[in-house]
Amino acid sequence: MKADRIQRRFERKHVDLVLDEVEADGTFSGYASVFGAVDLGKDVVEPGAFGRSLQKRKVGGIRMLYQHDPAQPIGVWTEIREDRRGLFVRGRLTPGVRRAQEVLALLRGGALDGLSIGFRAARTRRDPASGIRRIVEADLWEISVVTFPMQPAARVETVKARRPKTATTDESGAHQLTRAIRHAISIINPKGRSL
């Protein structure tokens, strides 16, 4: 199956990546998905949604890619687990891979700030009143480092810190930004199709 066909079969959800530092060996950690948070595509990932997929694939079966491109693996995930907050991940960029070195520099410089899950929605339910889709089970294939995050509520922390990053923006500003981005998406994609 060609890479572009595979890419069209799977969905992607982006989250913010906020790093104070990345370890010298290219290791970083954080949340690839936050449970219960409505993302910019009006989806909510439910607690436990990744359980079956993680049991089946294990950490070694989930790829770390750059911008969802299967031709650009940039490292390995060393830990992926669900906790009360969401999908916690820890990974290491691979030394000697040119794109991984570029990603490391961009992360350290603050120019790259997103994570995104690549998955197939195995079970969902939609709230007819709000239009929000609840992802009850997700078949997770990959987690990418990306430019544009889809889920503003998620944050990444460094391995060294190992504690949640405290919010530095006021909540009303975040809600205004979320509304503005949703409005822009509706203009670009008025029919609500997957991009």
Side-chain angles (χ1 to χ4, degrees):
M1 189 179 269
K2 293 192 178 231
D4 60 334
R5 282 192 201 149
I6 291 172
Q7 283 184 330
R8 280 184 262 148
R9 287 184 50 208
F10 299 104
E11 298 181 53
R12 299 171 182 114
K13 292 290 170 197
H14 310 278
V15 295
D16 287 345
L17 172 64
V18 177
L19 296 173
D20 291 328
E21 61 184 274
V22 179
E23 295 295 312
D25 68 352
T27 300
F28 62 95
S29 66
Y31 285 86
S33 182
V34 174
F35 297 141
V38 179
D39 71 18
L40 300 176
K42 293 187 83 175
D43 283 344
V44 173
V45 177
E46 295 289 323
F50 302 105
R52 182 176 288 174
S53 185
L54 293 176
Q55 243 180 358
K56 182 172 109 181
R57 286 203 172 74
K58 312 281 188 242
V59 69
I62 310 296
R63 301 294 175 225
M64 181 191 293
L65 302 178
Y66 176 67
Q67 307 285 4
H68 296 293
D69 185 346
Q72 295 193 62
I74 55 173
V76 294
W77 296 111
T78 57
E79 181 180 0
I80 304 174
R81 62 178 162 77
E82 289 182 308
D83 63 19
R84 289 175 29 188
R85 183 174 176 204
L87 185 65
F88 176 83
V89 296
R90 178 176 287 125
R92 184 179 58 253
L93 296 166
T94 302
V97 173
R98 183 182 308 167
R99 178 65 73 192
Q101 292 170 339
E102 293 168 356
V103 168
L104 180 59
L106 291 167
L107 288 171
R108 285 184 174 150
L112 195 58
D113 63 354
L115 286 177
S116 178
I117 57 174
F119 68 100
R120 182 183 62 80
R123 279 186 20 224
T124 65
R125 27 175 230 272
R126 189 169 302 274
D127 178 356
S130 66
I132 292 173
R133 180 177 72 154
R134 297 194 173 276
I135 300 169
V136 178
E137 185 181 337
D139 188 12
L140 184 66
W141 285 79
E142 57 93 5
I143 302 168
S144 287
V145 178
V146 297
T147 307
F148 297 107
M150 180 68 89
Q151 193 181 56
R155 297 286 182 243
V156 170
E157 52 196 56
T158 65
V159 171
K160 189 178 243 180
R162 293 189 189 203
R163 62 180 179 268
K165 185 116 173 95
T166 55
T168 55
T169 59
D170 89 21
E171 196 62 29
S172 64
H175 286 294
Q176 289 174 358
L177 177 60
T178 300
R179 277 195 300 273
I181 292 172
R182 279 191 180 135
H183 178 70
I185 288 171
S186 71
I187 292 170
I188 294 168
N189 189 14
K191 304 254 184 207
R193 295 185 190 115
S194 292
L195 298 176

